[in-house]
Structure formats: C-alpha cells, structure tokens
C-alpha cells in the first residue's frame, strides 16, 4: 500500500497508459473498469507480479480471445526485469534462490556451447518444470537471440533462438526418455500420449521465448512502438481469406461456440412466445379448483415452424480459408436441426448434407466432400451462374416458403455468365435470403467479381472475420 | 480501503470482506477440498474485496460450480443457488405473489370487513405484504443476514431478458418490488455466475462483474486434484491418467473429458484393480471419459488402440 501512495501519480499515469494500450490493441475497457484497475492496485500485493497480472486481467479481459493481447501488453508495461534479467528477476519476480549460478558458469560468456544448451533444454523439457523452462528461455534469448536489425542496430529474435536450439529435433530423444519411464514399447498409445506431452511442453517453452523477446525489444525501442507492431490480430478479427494454418486452428476454437450460438439463436426465436391461444376448456376446468376464478390460464401450444436452412457454399480454392470455416458452421447447424440442407459448389453443385451426418468427424467430412462430391464440371474454376442453374435444375424443391437461404462465397465467377435470373428466382421463393461475402466491400465488383450485381438481387453482407459473422448472427438472424 | 469502496459500493449494502489475501484464499479453498491455481485465487480474493460479482466462464466440467461450493464452505456461508434454464422468468428467479393465499385473505376479509368497517385500502395494503410474498433465490439471497454465496448457475442457458433482471441486483444489490418498494441487501452476498459460453453475455452484465476464464488445469494441478479426491490411487497412475486425458483433450472431440470424468476414471481403474493405464485398460474403460460413440472411435484411432 505504501508504494502505491508514494508514487500514486506516476502509477496512475502508468495505469491509464496501460489501459489506453489495451484499447489500442482492440480490448474494450470501459471507464468503470479503468476505475476498478486502480482498486486492484490497492487490493493486491503489487510486489507479486503474477497476482497483479491476474487481478488486472479479471477486470479488463472479459473474453478469452483478448487474453493473449492482454498478456503481451502486461509484459510490456510491467516487465519482469531489465537487461539480462538476472538481478531484478530474483529480487522482484517472486522466485528467489535457484536462479543464476548453474547457468552462466556452465554455458560460458564467450561462444555459446550449443550442445550444453540443448542438453539443458532437453532436461528441462523432460522434467516439465515451468520455472526452469522460463529461466532457460530468458537466458537463451539474451545469449542466442541477438541479431542485426539493420542500420547497425541489434535486436532480438525468437527464430534465432529456435534455430540455434532446434528443439524439434529433440523430440525423438525426449520420447525415448519419457517412454523408458513409462516402461512400455513404442508405436502404441503410450507414444501418442508422450508425443502430446512433449508438444505441450515445447509450446510452453516457445511461449516463454516469445515473451522474453518482446520484453527485450520493448526495452530497446520503447513499449509504445512494440505495442503497435507485435500484437497479432485477435482470432475473431483474422481475415478468413488470409488465415494461416495456426490461425485456422485458433479460428476453429472461436467459431465453434459461435456456430452453436447461431443455432441456439434460431432455436430461441422458435420458442419465443411459446404459449399460444387461450385454451378455454382447460382454463375453465382448472378454475373449478379455485371456486370458478380462473387463476391459472392454460394455453394451446403454438404451432412450431421449424426453421429450414439451405446453405450454398463455394468451396473453390480461392476461398479455401472461408469455405473451411463455413463448412464447420454448416456442420454445427446440421447437428442442431433436422432441416438443414447443405450444398457445395465450384462450377457445379452437389448436395453434401449426408456428409455432415451427426457424429461425423469434421476434417474427414471436408476431405470426403473434396473427394466424393461432384463439384467440378468444366475446369474447376468458380462458376456461380452454372452452379445456380444446376441447383435449380436438380433440387427445385429445396427452397420453399419456410426456407432461409444462405449463400457463402466471394462472387468471383471468372467472367462467366452470372445467371442473375436464376438467383432471383431462388431468392423470391425463399423466406429469407442472405449472402455472406468474405471479401472487403470495396473489392466488390472489381475484376471478375459480380458481387455488386448479385447484391441487387440478394442481401449481401461483408463477412471477413469471425467477429463480422457474429455481428451478422446478431443482427440478421432474428428473422429466420 | 475507503477509496475503492466509494467507487464501486452501493449505498446501504453492508460489505464485509472475508478473505485476508490471495494466500488466505488458496489455503482456505484448499481446506474446503478445492485446489485452486493462483489466478483463480486472485480473482476470488478481488471479487470478495471489491464486493463485485464474479463471472466464471469455461468449458463444462472444469469446476465452476465446485468453486462456488468451496467458497461457501471456506467462508462458512450458506449457498443460494439459482439454476438457469430457458424460460426462467422473474417469478421463478426473484419473487412471486402467493395468489391463492391472497385470495383466501380477501374472501375471509370480505365477511369480516362488513362487520368491522375495513376499507379496500386496508385490505390491499395487507395482501401486498411480506406474508404473501414468495421468495425466490435472488430475493432470498438479498434478504439474508448471514453470510451468503449466491450461485447463478449456467446463466448462458437463460433467455436474454434474465440478464436485464440481474443488472439491478448485481450493481446495487437491491430489488425493486412495485407494490412494496425497494429491498436493499442487508449484507452483500458473494455472487458467482457461471457460464459455458454457449452464447455471448451482454456487455452490461460483463461490465458489472469480474471475469475469470477457467480452463482445464495444468498437468501437476490436475494430478493433485485426482490424488486429493481419490487418495488411494498411486501417483504414477494418476500421472498417466492426466497425460492421457490431455492427449484426449487435444483431439478436438465433441465432448472433451472433464475433471470430474478424469476423477471417475481414476476411481474406475482403482475399482478394477488396474495399476497401469495400458492399451487394454484404456480400451476397456474409455466409456468412462468419452460420452459419444464417434469420440470413442476417433480417440481409439488416434491413440492406436487397435
């Protein structure tokens, strides 16, 4: 408490700077929460950095997706230590003793002995001791991570550490070690479990190295600069079309609850106002128990309109990230509702509903769609017009007055006939029709995109990120 | 202390923090049989100290409801639980008038009224009094004078309207009953909301609460939990169980094994007299941790059980 009062002004300024940085990184922190951060300061033991981190997180981070950005900012604003991190790390970091000694002597100050490093890393990974891993990461960055940054300056890089230590090549050795402990033969379940354990620990080590690099770079260039450049966009703001494979995994995790939410939203609509017209007979009968006064009224159950959903999804290469994700969404909807029909197309259309039978494993379903469904007619380039025509020809009954039609694609039709009339017919038969386009709206209509022409016929929404999809679910679907 | 109190505390509601510090939380939750990590303990401590509701979100089976029970035990509080579900309304969550009793009162009164000259106003004042009020969990928690933990379980299962209903209670610890006026909390309950994140909760609700994302524990802690719940188990076996469970959780199954299920698993293995978790043992007992046929098939494939 005394430290807080002595330096209140500086601390408060620091705190508001931190909050501003959080907002800059896309984490919404309200004024009330900003006030609460000050309360956190007064309540927790500021000397204990991890308590402070969790305390601020509990006030500022209201969604798991924000946590990574928060941690990054926290490390920048409350660095564990400065310089090589040994002295301060011991005094202020809350892990007294056991630091240092064994390190520098063994690894030396001159040319780093890579084999010794790798051995130390292998031991730490084998034990799975987080503290040792953290210490090792800290030292590895300072000794191995330095490199030229242009303009005669030096900077720190994760990849240099990873290249020098090359922990992936340790896996075989670690596997032997872990399996010997488990006294079991290789190739079976034990190995799979051991692999997962090693993967977890390697990821942990990598995470420590990244954090340490951020800290060192922030020290050199100022935290504001680093804050601007190092924070990756949050998973729900990653562009579908540019998503990398690890983004996709992250995206899958954010999208899964979203798909469920979308489904539950449709279901909630269905249930709203579940009591229908007054059931006069039952009400009168029930009133006999209360002397003829109808205290409890009874209602006839309302006729339920089961939502029927038809999803038409472009799965061509140009929208790979997006289609992967939309197929997931379709699968989730398919599990929730009996009346969902899914169609995929490239330049011709095929029904893929059966691939999403409940209990089907999704990655396998996507693979099977690629192999077994009849999606390519001419040359495997998107042809929206032809796809629509085939759809109308083969499944005219799919769209009825109760159907919501959802088309997913970028509307890039390779200069072929867009067949607007067919789409118009489809839309006019459906109860609702929406088109989600993974391209930025300013790109619509450029080149071979017929998005603007389609947009005249059907309500088209830009849907580049999971966040935008969530907004769509929120705004549009209540009518479904 | 006074500064942060005035910033967030409502008028009238007595708030008495019950934990001395983060370590105190850790120790007392531990005594109540809940092995919390430091992040959880810090959050619980702050919720207690700042007198704010705590929203705990995370996958099913990581111990959200258990946490509330442990807090209740650690602070010697009684727990008042509101289980949310679709269609939960004010009458079930907050309070309800006991119509039948009111009706009786009016009928009985109308005979006496002609004799004694009781007016309509007297009667209507009377039937909207405490005697005819049916307390539901939220009102009960507000009116209790003993230490109370109010657990609002699975808030994401309820309709959006319920969140609106909660806002007054969560920020000011008071309930307005039109016929009676506003009921203030005499003693602020420790409020814990849980959610499986099946839908996004409103910003207003999140703003009023502290937030904790509770995830599966790290391997050491999960092993400790198993050992504390199943004391007869060999630590090496517990270690195997935890690592296998983690491998299962990494597989993107429909229903990942929860902590409760790993504990069940430990108990099952113990009951079967197995002391190592090899292929045969897993094959035999996979049903304890995986609840979908497709999950079991996938796990068997990836773990190479066949």
């Amino acid at each position: 408490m005394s430290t807080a009062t002595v330096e209140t002004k500086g601390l408060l300024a620091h705190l508001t700077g931190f909050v501003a940085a959080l907002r800059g990184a896309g984490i919404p922190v309200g004024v009330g929460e900003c006030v609460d951060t000050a309360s956190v300061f007064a309540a927790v033991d500021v000397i204990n950095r991890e308590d402070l981190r969790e305390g601020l997180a509990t006030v500022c981070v209201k969604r798991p997706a924000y946590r990574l950005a928060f941690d990054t900012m926290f490390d920048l604003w409350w660095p564990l230590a400065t310089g090589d991190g040994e002295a301060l790390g011991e005094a202020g970091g809350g892990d007294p003793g056991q630091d240092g000694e064994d390190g520098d002597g063994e690894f030396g100050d001159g040319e780093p002995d890579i084999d010794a490093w790798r051995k130390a890393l292998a031991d730490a990974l084998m034990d799975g001791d987080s503290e040792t891993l953290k210490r090792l990461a800290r030292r590895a960055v300072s000794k191995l991570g330095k490199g030229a940054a242009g303009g005669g300056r030096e900077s720190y890089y994760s990849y240099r550490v990873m290249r020098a230590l090359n922990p992936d090549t340790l896996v075989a050795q670690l596997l032997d070690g872990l399996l010997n402990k488990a006294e079991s033969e290789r190739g079976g379940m034990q190995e799979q479990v051991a692999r997962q354990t090693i993967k977890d620990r390697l990821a942990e080590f990598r995470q420590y190295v990244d954090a340490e690099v951020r800290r060192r770079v922030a020290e050199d260039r100022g935290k504001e600069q680093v804050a601007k450049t190092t924070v990756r966009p949050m998973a729900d703001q990653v562009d579908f079309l540019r998503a990398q494979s690890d983004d996709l995994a992250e995206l899958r995790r954010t999208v899964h609850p979203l798909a469920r939410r979308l489904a539950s939203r449709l279901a909630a609509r269905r249930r709203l106002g579940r009591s229908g017209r007054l059931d006069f007979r039952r009400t009168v009968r029930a009133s006999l128990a209360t002397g003829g006064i109808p205290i409890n009224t009874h209602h006839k159950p309302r006729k339920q309109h089961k939502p029927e959903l038809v999803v038409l999804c472009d799965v061509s290469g140009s929208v790979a990230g997006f289609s992967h994700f939309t197929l997931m969404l379709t699968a989730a909807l398919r599990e929730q509702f009996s009346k969902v029909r899914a169609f995929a197309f490239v330049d011709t259309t095929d029904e893929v509903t059966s691939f999403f039978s409940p209990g089907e494993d999704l990655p396998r379903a996507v693979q099977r769609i690629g192999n077994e469904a009849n999606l390519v007619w001419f040359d495997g380039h998107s042809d929206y017009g032809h796809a629509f025509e085939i759809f109308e020809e083969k499944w005219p009954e799919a769209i009825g007055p109760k159907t919501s039609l959802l088309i997913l694609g970028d509307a890039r039709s390779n200069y072929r006939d867009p067949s607007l009339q067919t789409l118009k017919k489809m839309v006019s038969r459906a109860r609702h029709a929406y088109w989600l386009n993974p391209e930025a709206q300013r790109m619509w209509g450029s080149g071979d995109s017929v998005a603007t022409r389609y947009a005249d016929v059907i309500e088209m929404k830009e849907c580049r990120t999971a966040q935008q999809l969530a907004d769509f679910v929120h705004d549009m679907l209540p009518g479904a | 202390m006074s500064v942060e109190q005035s910033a967030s505390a409502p008028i009238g509601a007595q708030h008495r923090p019950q934990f001395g510090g983060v370590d105190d939380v850790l120790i007392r939750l531990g005594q109540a049989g809940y092995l919390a990590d430091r992040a959880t303990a810090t959050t619980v401590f702050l919720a207690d100290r700042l007198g704010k509701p705590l929203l705990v979100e995370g996958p099913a089976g990581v111990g959200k409801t258990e946490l509330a029970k442990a807090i209740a035990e650690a602070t010697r509080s009684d727990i008042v639980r509101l289980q949310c579900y679709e269609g939960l309304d004010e009458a079930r969550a907050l309070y309800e008038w006991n119509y039948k009793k009111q009706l009786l009162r009016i009928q009985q009164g109308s005979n006496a009224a002609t004799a004694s000259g009781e007016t309509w106003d007297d009667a209507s004042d009377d039937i909207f009094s405490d005697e005819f009020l049916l307390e539901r969990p939220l009102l009960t928690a507000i009116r209790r004078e003993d230490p109370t933990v109010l657990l609002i379980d699975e808030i994401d299962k309820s309709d959006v309207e319920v969140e609106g209903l909660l806002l007054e209670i969560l920020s000011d610890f008071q309930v307005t009953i039109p016929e009676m006026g506003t009921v203030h909390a005499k003693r602020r309950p420790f409020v814990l909301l849980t959610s499986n994140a099946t839908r996004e909760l409103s910003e207003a609700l999140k703003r009023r609460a502290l937030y904790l994302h509770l995830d599966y524990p790290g391997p050491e802690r999960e092993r400790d939990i198993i050992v504390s719940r199943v004391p007869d188990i060999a630590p090496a076996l517990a270690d195997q169980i935890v690592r296998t469970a983690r491998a299962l959780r990494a597989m993107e199954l429909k229903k990942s094994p929860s902590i409760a299920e790993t504990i069940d698993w430990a108990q099952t293995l113990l009951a079967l007299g197995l002391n190592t978790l090899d292929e045969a043992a897993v094959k035999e007992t996979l049903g304890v941790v995986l609840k979908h046929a497709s999950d079991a098939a996938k796990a068997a494939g990836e773990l190479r059980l066949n």
Side-chain angles (χ1 to χ4, degrees):
Chain A
M1 201 66 183
S2 61
T3 44
T5 42
V6 171
E7 277 195 292
T8 298
K9 205 171 168 202
L11 244 175
L12 271 185
H14 194 68
L15 201 54
T16 44
F18 175 62
V19 169
L22 287 182
R23 289 183 186 139
I27 303 176
V29 184
V31 176
E33 281 136 358
C34 191
V35 173
D36 284 340
T37 55
S39 311
V40 169
F41 249 95
V44 303
D45 192 355
V46 187
I47 299 300
N48 193 331
R49 180 166 173 269
E50 288 310 305
D51 284 7
L52 180 63
R53 179 201 295 270
E54 295 303 332
L56 290 177
T58 194
V59 167
C60 300
V61 180
K62 305 267 161 110
R63 262 193 212 181
Y66 299 149
R67 184 64 203 230
L68 182 66
F70 172 85
D71 278 339
T72 308
M73 288 301 163
F74 184 87
D75 286 336
L76 291 177
W77 254 253
W78 278 275
L80 177 61
T82 50
D84 283 353
E86 306 292 338
L88 260 171
E90 277 172 36
D95 57 350
Q98 59 189 255
D99 207 315
E101 286 76 55
D102 61 312
D104 285 343
E106 195 177 315
F107 305 131
D109 279 336
E111 202 54 24
D113 176 3
I114 294 295
D115 287 339
W117 276 102
R118 280 168 57 86
K119 186 172 177 317
L121 178 61
D123 289 347
L125 287 171
M126 187 80 79
D127 296 342
D129 175 11
S130 302
E131 281 309 315
T132 317
L133 280 178
K134 219 180 274 181
R135 222 162 42 230
L136 209 58
R138 212 152 69 210
R139 242 183 261 124
V141 169
S142 88
K143 293 275 190 285
L144 308 172
K146 212 181 285 185
R153 295 180 54 202
E154 283 196 325
S155 190
Y156 294 91
Y157 299 97
S158 302
Y159 81 89
R160 293 186 68 95
V161 176
M162 288 304 170
R163 201 176 54 191
L165 292 179
N166 204 357
D168 291 335
T169 54
L170 292 173
V171 169
Q173 183 193 338
L174 288 170
L175 217 47
D176 279 342
L178 279 177
L179 287 176
N180 281 341
K181 256 193 221 167
E183 287 170 4
S184 175
E185 81 287 11
R186 304 197 47 155
M189 179 193 82
Q190 303 295 355
E191 184 183 330
Q192 296 305 312
V193 171
R195 272 184 195 284
Q196 184 59 41
T197 308
I198 294 169
K199 217 168 122 188
D200 284 352
R201 290 178 189 168
L202 276 178
E204 192 182 346
F205 177 68
R206 188 180 296 266
Q207 193 187 324
Y208 294 145
V209 169
D210 284 347
E212 177 68 9
V213 165
R214 272 198 304 271
R215 186 184 71 74
R216 298 299 291 251
V217 174
E219 213 173 75
D220 283 356
R221 286 193 286 153
K223 54 184 182 283
E224 283 81 4
Q225 189 60 32
V226 180
K228 251 182 249 160
T229 53
T230 60
V231 174
R232 288 195 343 165
M234 270 163 266
D236 60 355
Q237 283 161 21
V238 169
D239 212 315
F240 287 135
L241 295 180
R242 293 199 189 84
Q244 307 291 318
S245 61
D246 56 333
D247 286 332
L248 274 180
E250 183 66 35
L251 203 59
R252 258 206 306 275
R253 274 190 285 279
T254 37
V255 158
H256 192 69
L258 181 69
R260 230 173 20 204
R261 208 180 307 148
L262 188 143
S264 73
R265 198 171 179 89
L266 281 167
R269 267 325 276 194
R270 204 152 37 108
R271 275 186 302 267
L272 260 185
R274 91 207 63 198
S275 47
R277 284 169 48 205
L278 186 73
D279 187 339
F280 193 71
R281 219 181 78 86
R282 283 189 67 198
T283 305
V284 169
R285 268 199 76 99
S287 75
L288 295 180
T290 48
I293 302 163
I295 286 178
N296 292 321
T297 54
H298 290 267
H299 299 266
K300 285 180 178 150
R302 176 168 283 181
K303 249 197 203 162
Q304 295 206 342
H305 295 284
K306 275 197 180 162
E308 294 175 15
L309 197 63
V310 169
V311 183
L312 254 169
C313 180
D314 180 356
V315 291
S316 67
S318 65
V319 286
F322 180 66
S323 63
H324 180 97
F325 149 84
T326 49
L327 286 173
M328 270 182 56
L329 189 70
T330 313
L333 289 169
R334 180 77 181 81
E335 279 186 13
Q336 297 288 330
F337 298 100
S338 49
K339 286 263 182 183
V340 174
R341 295 183 72 176
F343 298 86
F345 64 90
V346 176
D347 60 1
T348 186
T349 314
D350 199 0
E351 176 157 11
V352 293
T353 315
S354 60
F355 293 104
F356 295 115
S357 56
E360 186 66 69
D361 184 40
L362 184 70
R364 242 191 72 201
V366 173
Q367 207 182 0
R368 280 183 59 203
I369 289 170
N371 296 338
E372 297 172 31
N374 180 21
L375 303 177
V376 176
W377 160 69
F378 179 56
D379 61 355
H381 294 303
S382 299
D383 183 344
Y384 281 74
H386 186 255
F388 291 152
E389 278 162 20
I390 292 292
F391 176 78
E392 273 294 89
E393 190 185 309
K394 284 198 181 167
W395 298 277
E397 83 295 343
I399 299 176
K402 279 188 272 179
T403 315
S404 296
L405 174 66
L406 201 57
I407 301 178
L408 312 158
D410 60 0
R412 293 209 171 263
S413 199
N414 295 299
Y415 302 104
R416 292 167 187 167
D417 174 20
S419 191
L420 280 170
Q421 283 309 318
T422 317
L423 180 65
K424 205 176 277 178
K425 256 194 287 177
M426 286 158 59
V427 170
S428 67
R429 280 213 314 282
R431 185 185 175 95
H432 302 282
Y434 303 110
W435 185 311
L436 299 183
N437 192 330
E439 266 196 340
Q441 192 156 3
R442 62 192 149 74
M443 304 291 289
W444 295 2
S446 69
D448 62 345
S449 167
V450 274
T452 42
R453 293 171 67 192
Y454 281 139
D456 292 337
V457 181
I458 183 171
E459 189 157 351
M460 194 179 280
K461 285 267 164 192
E462 174 185 308
C463 182
R464 291 162 61 205
T465 63
Q467 179 62 51
Q468 279 178 327
L469 184 84
D471 293 345
F472 166 77
V473 170
H474 188 263
D475 299 341
M476 307 307 288
L477 275 170
Chain B
M1 213 57 300
S2 60
V3 180
E4 78 261 16
Q5 284 293 301
S6 64
S8 59
I11 328 107
Q14 273 255 355
H15 175 55
R16 294 168 221 163
Q18 312 190 59
F19 288 107
V22 179
D23 295 307
D24 185 36
V25 176
L26 273 174
I27 292 165
R28 283 163 71 184
L29 286 183
Q31 282 163 353
Y34 190 92
L35 301 178
D37 60 6
R38 202 161 175 94
T40 309
T42 309
T43 318
V44 169
F45 166 68
L46 281 172
D48 176 55
R49 182 53 61 93
L50 306 183
K52 288 196 148 229
L54 175 57
L55 170 62
V56 187
E57 214 167 53
V62 293
K64 300 186 290 289
T65 307
E66 286 301 311
L67 177 62
K69 289 182 187 161
I71 291 170
E73 200 180 318
T75 56
R76 301 219 172 99
S77 308
D78 281 337
I79 195 161
V80 176
R81 179 169 176 169
L82 175 66
Q83 176 68 48
C84 295
Y85 53 87
E86 285 162 27
L88 176 77
D89 58 3
E90 213 175 33
R92 295 270 162 214
L94 206 50
Y95 67 90
E96 201 172 5
W97 289 108
N98 190 339
Y99 299 115
K100 295 179 178 116
K101 215 169 157 191
Q102 285 176 327
L103 207 68
L104 277 173
R105 164 70 184 78
I106 293 166
Q107 279 188 339
Q108 180 261 338
S110 64
N111 302 329
T114 35
S116 67
E118 185 194 51
T119 64
W120 165 249
D121 284 344
D122 295 336
S124 69
D125 281 351
D126 202 30
I127 61 167
F128 288 113
S129 65
D130 224 17
E131 196 191 339
F132 300 95
L133 194 64
L134 293 175
E135 280 182 355
R136 300 296 184 210
L138 293 181
L139 187 59
T140 310
I142 291 272
R143 296 220 291 190
R144 277 176 56 89
E145 290 183 33
D146 299 322
T148 308
V149 171
L150 171 60
L151 167 63
I152 302 174
D153 216 3
E154 303 194 309
I155 173 81
D156 54 328
K157 295 263 164 57
S158 68
D159 304 317
V160 181
E161 291 78 10
V162 175
E163 282 178 44
L165 190 70
L166 288 174
L167 292 182
E168 186 183 9
I169 295 174
L170 295 187
S171 59
D172 297 338
F173 294 91
Q174 63 180 41
V175 172
T176 305
I177 302 175
E179 297 87 351
M180 283 176 73
T182 305
V183 180
H184 297 280
K186 296 208 177 63
R187 180 181 182 133
R188 223 192 275 192
F190 187 109
V191 186
L192 203 130
L193 304 107
T194 75
S195 159
N196 290 336
T198 52
R199 74 177 168 82
E200 192 75 23
L201 301 173
S202 73
E203 290 297 317
L205 183 77
K206 285 193 166 180
R207 240 193 345 264
R208 281 165 176 76
L210 299 182
Y211 182 89
L212 173 67
H213 182 74
L214 206 57
D215 216 330
Y216 296 112
E220 290 94 15
R221 200 163 72 83
E222 187 165 13
R223 192 190 52 221
D224 292 346
I225 291 172
I226 291 180
V227 171
S228 83
R229 287 299 174 90
V230 191
D232 294 335
I233 201 159
L237 180 56
D239 203 47
Q240 275 185 318
I241 292 173
V242 169
R243 293 200 302 153
T244 313
R246 288 177 76 82
L248 290 173
R249 281 174 198 151
M251 282 178 202
E252 293 196 27
L253 300 172
K254 266 192 199 154
K255 162 91 183 62
S256 287
S258 70
I259 298 178
E261 278 154 355
T262 52
I263 292 172
D264 285 349
W265 208 6
Q267 263 156 355
T268 309
L269 293 173
L270 207 62
L272 291 175
L274 297 168
N275 46 22
T276 177
L277 192 60
D278 54 13
E279 272 96 340
V282 172
K283 221 186 277 185
E284 218 170 295
T285 55
L286 204 56
V288 178
V289 277
L290 297 181
K291 305 295 163 71
H292 288 276
S294 61
D295 282 357
K298 186 172 180 180
E302 292 206 14
L303 290 178
R304 312 222 177 119
L305 289 181
N306 305 314

